Amino acid sequence: MNFASDNVYGIHPKILAAIEAANQGTSPSYGYDDYSKRAEAKLSEVFEKEVRAYLVTTGTAANGLALSALAPPYGAVFTHNEAHTAIDECNSPEMFTGGAKVIGLEGAEGKITPAVVEKALKGFLRGEHDPKPAALSITNSTELGRVYQSAEIKALSEVVKSRKMKFHIDGARFANAVAALGVKPAEITWKAGIDVMSFGGTKNGGMLLEAVVFFDTGLAEDFLYRRMRGGQLISKSRFLGAQMLAYLENDLWLDNARIANGLAQYLAKGLRQSNSVRIPLPVEANEIFAVMPRALHDKLQAAGAHFHQWGVDILGPGGIAEDEVFCRFVLSFATPREDADRFIGLLKQG
């Protein structure tokens, strides 16, 4: 019963088969292979717009490299204070940008609002004594499992564009957001004002599968050099391209996300049936955040259930009692439904 992360599960069989197929024969290296070229074309098809897409191996690299194309060393990148770009990437964005300052903003349930961004920007009054506001980065779905609607992104874009800043989205779980909303990918990216995104696949069936996707293709100038300098130009690049093609083929990426989201709803229903557990945040994608008695937490863990205890400050004062634990559950396309049933059975036993 492993609900610790969607990273704990393996590669989707179709993607694994694609890697095996690409292993036959020879192929040009360093991104000049046919697989990578077709993957970029397929991403343009998915987003209904000609994009420039660069395959990389990790979400950390995707975020850092993407932001390096948007923010100069003297710039400021605004993001949520719980975002991976702020606290989970060991200053990678600062390194890749050459020193840009990442500024975390407050926001309920992992979301940033236009009012919060405007308030932060009002504090930049000292000209060159302040870092130059360069970019805003949001995560969709957020680190707390919430999903940004198109209108919310457009409203943020209006603030960003009025200050001549750029707009980035961390899409490590972008597939889950698209599946949850039931919209075309374009509606919550470039049509809503996003300039560049980190398009994730590793959490949703890939092995090493991330891409930096430029909707504003002018921003991709010199990105080949950024990727190379960042150690993310893979010599046997066909294996990244083959993964991406399989991931996007016949909407496998969305099918996987729908399964994971559906399992999250199923497990959340079981959690709600327990009088000892409460779910303080809406379950929209493939993550569940729940509060339970510490005694129950310990019993479930002892019975073989794996899930993480999470930071409690996001619930605010009085959000959790001394004898309670705030927990995160993450569901994958590969999570056995039987594991969810077994866990729900343990809950019923108290």
Side-chain angles (χ1 to χ4, degrees):
M1 297 177 290
N2 200 324
F3 312 112
S5 173
D6 32 17
N7 285 321
V8 302
Y9 287 94
I11 308 167
H12 191 280
K14 290 184 179 179
I15 296 176
L16 195 58
I19 294 172
E20 174 64 26
N23 197 42
Q24 307 305 311
T26 63
S27 176
S29 53
Y30 296 111
Y32 293 98
D33 58 283
D34 183 59
Y35 294 97
S36 295
K37 293 175 183 177
R38 287 193 288 130
E40 182 177 59
K42 185 64 176 178
L43 282 163
S44 294
E45 179 184 321
V46 166
F47 286 102
E48 303 174 87
K49 176 183 175 60
E50 184 176 351
V51 303
R52 296 297 305 277
Y54 300 84
L55 303 176
V56 297
T57 61
T58 72
T60 298
N63 284 335
L65 286 169
L67 291 172
S68 77
L70 305 185
Y74 50 84
V77 175
F78 299 89
T79 190
H80 194 278
N81 58 14
E82 293 285 338
H84 275 65
T85 49
I87 61 172
D88 274 305
E89 295 179 337
C90 196
N91 298 355
S92 170
E94 289 91 338
M95 181 192 72
F96 279 115
T97 58
K101 188 176 183 66
V102 176
I103 298 175
L105 304 177
E106 296 285 343
E109 300 175 2
K111 286 187 177 183
I112 299 169
T113 65
V116 168
V117 178
E118 288 175 337
K119 181 180 179 181
L121 290 172
K122 285 179 181 178
F124 284 71
L125 304 171
R126 294 171 291 275
E128 67 271 26
H129 294 273
D130 287 321
K132 182 180 180 180
L136 174 68
S137 176
I138 63 172
T139 309
N140 206 13
S141 58
T142 76
E143 283 78 6
L144 292 177
R146 296 303 312 278
V147 174
Y148 280 97
Q149 304 275 343
S150 175
E152 293 176 296
I153 300 172
K154 288 178 180 177
L156 286 167
S157 177
E158 290 177 6
V159 176
V160 169
K161 305 304 180 183
S162 71
R163 292 295 294 260
K164 297 182 179 179
M165 296 163 60
K166 301 302 180 183
F167 203 174
H168 166 260
I169 179 172
D170 176 353
R173 294 188 175 97
F174 180 71
N176 301 97
V178 174
L181 292 171
V183 299
K184 294 289 187 68
E187 297 300 321
I188 54 172
T189 52
W190 64 271
K191 285 187 177 181
I194 300 294
D195 296 302
V196 59
M197 78 172 299
S198 305
F199 181 80
T202 305
K203 295 180 186 297
N204 195 36
M207 181 176 71
L208 302 168
L209 184 58
E210 312 290 326
V212 179
V213 180
F214 288 91
F215 304 111
D216 181 347
T217 55
L219 295 172
E221 183 179 1
D222 294 335
F223 194 80
L224 285 170
Y225 296 94
R226 295 182 186 277
R227 181 173 64 171
M228 178 63 187
R229 185 170 179 263
Q232 285 292 315
L233 179 57
I234 307 304
S235 57
K236 295 183 180 181
S237 52
R238 58 177 156 166
F239 296 109
L240 294 183
Q243 285 185 74
M244 185 61 75
L245 285 170
Y247 185 58
L248 299 175
E249 185 68 26
N250 296 321
D251 285 341
L252 176 65
W253 67 296
L254 292 178
D255 288 343
N256 286 356
R258 291 184 187 109
I259 292 170
N261 288 4
L263 285 167
Q265 293 294 336
Y266 182 74
L267 183 59
K269 182 179 179 181
L271 285 164
R272 290 190 184 102
Q273 290 173 353
S274 170
N275 294 328
S276 301
V277 179
R278 65 183 188 279
I279 300 178
L281 303 176
V283 178
E284 294 182 321
N286 67 322
E287 296 178 278
I288 307 166
F289 291 85
V291 179
M292 66 178 63
R294 183 172 295 279
L296 177 60
H297 166 273
D298 294 347
K299 179 181 177 181
L300 293 168
Q301 294 271 348
H306 298 281
F307 53 96
H308 284 303
Q309 186 172 334
W310 217 245
V312 299
D313 57 325
I314 61 172
L315 294 182
I320 185 169
E322 284 289 330
D323 62 345
E324 290 183 321
V325 179
F326 186 48
C327 305
R328 185 191 76 163
F329 300 81
V330 187
L331 284 298
S332 163
F333 73 95
T335 303
R337 190 182 179 95
E338 294 79 10
D339 284 5
D341 286 331
R342 183 183 168 199
F343 185 85
I344 293 168
L346 288 171
L347 280 175
K348 290 178 179 178
Q349 295 173 18

